[in-house]
Amino acid sequence: MKNNYLNMLYGVIFLGLTGCLHTDINNPDRAISAKLQQKALNSTLAYELVESLTVEVGPRLAGSEQDLIAVEWAENKLNNLGFDKVYKEAVQVPVWHRGEAKASITSPYAQPLVITALGGSISTPKEGIEANIIRFNSLTELQQASSADVHGKIVFIDHVTERHKTGKGYGKSVGGRSKGAIAAAQKGAVAIMIRSIGTDHDRMAHTGMMRYQEGVNKIPAAAMSNPDADLINAMLKRSKNIKIKLQLSAENQGFATSYNVIAEVTGSTKPDEIVLISAHLDSWDEGTGAIDDGAGVAIVTAAGKLIQDLPVKPARTVRVVLYAAEEVGLIGGKTYAKAHQAELSQHYIAAESDFGAGRIYQIDFRASQQGYEELTKLSQPMITNGVVMGNNKASGGPDVSMLPSMGVPVASLRQDGSDYFDYHHTPNDTLDKIEPAALQQNVAAYAQFAYLMAQSNIELRPIVAK
Ligand SMILES: [Zn+2]
């Protein structure tokens, strides 16, 4: 009895001691991480950056004049912040001109619709296209429809985007935007108009990229506001004979050169090994690109700056990448992966912030199983900032999503995206949607993440299969 009691007591003392090894007193990384958190929560740098980007540069559609002004803005900011290295790498990006977008119901009565052209769409003839509309619940339903029903009509995909903290509703409905024009054209449709991929009920349409397919007829593609989609849906319940007129003057204008803009804090002992934190610099042209992705640009830049200012730099290099042309097909991310192929084995881990400025509540990784388990212990200091440990199934964010297939570990710092798709890709993506305190919490999480990863001794490879 007494022995058991003593064993238990020793056990408690032992656990206490090993616990101590992970406390601030004995672990300098933990102490520095705590300091980074505190500094981030008191810093206004990120907000100043996103304010500057949205006010001084504004919308920066890939391949536009403003896109190049954004590149110059980023280079200037990163240089002024005193990063060890600042450079840019050329990216060939498609140039698309939005033009005008107009639509109205013409039968049973005249009613203008609030629409936007989808990125990459061709124009209609100048006089527009007028045709009956045919409604589908989803892309899948359209793909299963008979060509006889669709031929000569304007396809209407009426897929409602569900609101979720994780943003998973977007993944379910976005296929109609990206692939709808192909499926519709294959069945002889003359145009496609989708319900906006958005969770708001404002009379505002959400743009976003669409694709054509080699060998399939190209048809004009637009999105309408959610209330307009509701109206058409209700009209179709009364009569199948609903006519719409659509006029787009959008135009694809070839290619231009843009740039991935990169800054580095050079590692003190393993400078060739890289911890990559990133965001995308381009935006859609309807708002000022505050939440998508001015916020991400501000978050990772401010996090990198906090590490740059440490008296002793971490072991690995922290690389801040501001990607070009994410919106039009992850072009900056793909170009980076190709250009840095030889160096990818030296990328310790990569992450991208591209989901607005909602608070980060969880961190997911994609590493080896053993590495993941050790990472969740190493990342414990993030818990005091509200970030709990998640799973080993991260994708890392759009521009780094191709890296795991090349063996590179990634992390996803999960933000609360409950209202992200209310504003995403609309004229309402503006600075006022960013809560300064939430932005600071993001910076704290990225600074802690980047620092802990740059100091980590954990082996993360080979990463688990998907
Ligand atoms: Zn984005």
Side-chain angles (χ1 to χ4, degrees):
M1 194 63 184
K2 199 178 172 192
N3 268 349
N4 277 352
Y5 177 71
L6 277 179
N7 281 345
M8 210 172 80
L9 192 67
Y10 289 145
V12 168
I13 292 167
F14 178 71
L15 277 175
L17 279 172
T18 50
C20 275
L21 293 176
H22 293 281
T23 63
D24 295 358
I25 309 154
N26 292 313
N27 188 331
D29 286 353
R30 275 212 164 205
I32 293 170
S33 163
K35 242 181 221 155
L36 284 169
Q37 181 188 326
Q38 208 169 31
K39 277 197 174 157
L41 295 178
N42 288 309
S43 167
T44 55
L45 176 61
Y47 194 81
E48 284 158 24
L49 287 168
V50 67
E51 198 264 353
S52 165
L53 179 60
T54 53
V55 174
E56 294 162 27
V57 181
R60 42 206 182 275
L61 184 62
S64 69
E65 225 170 276
Q66 288 311 107
D67 185 27
L68 288 182
I69 292 172
V71 167
E72 215 180 288
W73 174 92
E75 278 187 289
N76 284 336
K77 288 289 177 199
L78 295 168
N79 275 317
N80 291 340
L81 290 170
F83 281 94
D84 291 330
K85 277 187 199 160
V86 177
Y87 53 99
K88 63 182 179 188
E89 296 177 345
V91 179
Q92 294 313 304
V93 306
V95 182
W96 177 75
H97 181 69
R98 175 174 296 284
E100 300 288 322
K102 258 171 65 180
S104 55
I105 298 168
T106 55
S107 172
Y109 55 85
Q111 161 75 349
L113 299 170
V114 173
I115 68 153
T116 182
L118 293 180
S121 175
I122 59 163
S123 63
T124 61
K126 213 167 183 176
E127 67 280 11
I129 290 173
E130 189 171 0
N132 270 59
I133 200 155
I134 180 167
R135 179 188 171 278
F136 297 98
N137 279 311
S138 63
L139 173 65
T140 314
E141 206 184 272
L142 164 63
Q143 286 164 334
Q144 289 161 355
S146 86
S147 299
D149 289 342
V150 175
H151 192 88
K153 298 201 176 100
I154 295 175
V155 159
F156 167 42
I157 299 181
D158 193 17
H159 199 150
V160 175
T161 300
E162 301 160 9
R163 185 183 301 278
H164 288 285
K165 185 178 180 181
T166 60
K168 70 178 178 189
Y170 182 74
K172 292 185 194 172
S173 59
V174 75
R177 190 189 76 205
S178 51
K179 299 178 217 152
I182 300 167
Q186 280 169 333
K187 297 183 194 291
V190 290
I192 180 168
M193 293 181 71
I194 62 164
R195 174 189 281 273
S196 278
I197 310 300
T199 45
D200 62 294
H201 295 281
D202 295 318
R203 202 142 178 242
M204 205 174 49
H206 296 239
T207 191
M209 201 55 187
M210 55 77 60
R211 291 199 294 266
Y212 292 119
Q213 188 176 298
E214 196 73 30
V216 178
N217 188 30
K218 292 181 180 179
I219 58 171
M224 67 180 87
S225 79
N226 276 312
D228 285 300
D230 292 341
L231 174 65
I232 292 176
N233 191 5
M235 282 180 162
L236 284 167
K237 283 180 182 155
R238 290 163 169 83
S239 159
K240 295 289 158 221
N241 190 25
I242 308 298
K243 266 198 169 60
I244 293 210
K245 185 174 177 182
L246 173 67
Q247 284 171 292
L248 300 183
S249 60
E251 201 183 347
N252 287 294
Q253 298 173 332
F255 287 84
T257 302
S258 185
Y259 299 89
N260 289 334
V261 185
I262 302 173
E264 291 183 4
V265 181
T266 308
S268 54
T269 57
K270 299 172 185 168
D272 296 337
E273 294 187 23
I274 291 140
V275 171
L276 188 154
I277 54 174
S278 61
H280 66 85
L281 190 55
D282 68 306
S283 77
W284 281 108
D285 50 346
E286 301 258 66
T288 56
I291 60 164
D292 189 11
D293 185 22
V297 167
I299 290 162
V300 297
T301 302
K305 166 68 175 166
L306 285 171
I307 293 168
Q308 178 68 49
D309 288 349
L310 287 173
V312 180
K313 303 291 184 295
R316 293 188 182 84
T317 291
V318 173
R319 182 178 286 171
V320 177
V321 183
L322 307 180
Y323 291 107
E326 186 273 343
E327 296 294 1
V328 295
L330 318 182
I331 317 256
K334 288 174 188 165
T335 304
Y336 177 92
K338 211 169 171 190
H340 292 266
Q341 206 162 15
E343 196 196 30
L344 288 184
S345 61
Q346 301 277 78
H347 281 57
Y348 184 72
I349 197 164
E352 182 176 32
S353 170
D354 182 20
F355 200 46
R359 284 171 189 273
I360 296 171
Y361 59 91
Q362 180 175 311
I363 182 164
D364 298 339
F365 294 99
R366 177 121 176 254
S368 65
Q369 192 52 34
Q370 172 76 27
Y372 160 70
E373 279 157 27
E374 291 177 42
L375 278 177
T376 60
K377 288 184 198 122
L378 179 75
S379 308
Q380 296 284 325
M382 297 177 73
I383 292 174
T384 58
N385 188 38
V387 184
V388 302
M389 300 302 124
N391 57 52
N392 197 21
K393 296 175 186 166
S395 69
D399 288 298
V400 300
S401 63
M402 61 295 287
L403 297 181
S405 68
M406 302 168 187
V408 179
V410 293
S412 291
L413 285 76
R414 301 267 181 219
Q415 291 166 290
D416 185 333
S418 301
D419 64 357
Y420 184 65
F421 292 110
D422 287 347
Y423 313 124
H424 182 251
H425 297 181
T426 72
N428 220 352
D429 178 0
T430 48
L431 184 64
D432 53 291
K433 309 307 179 305
I434 293 177
E435 185 202 333
L439 194 67
Q440 288 170 318
Q441 189 263 359
N442 274 265
V443 177
Y446 268 90
Q448 289 189 301
F449 165 76
Y451 181 76
L452 292 167
M453 295 304 120
Q455 285 285 82
S456 160
N457 291 317
I458 302 168
E459 178 54 67
L460 303 187
R461 297 179 188 225
I463 65 171
V464 291
K466 187 130 199 176

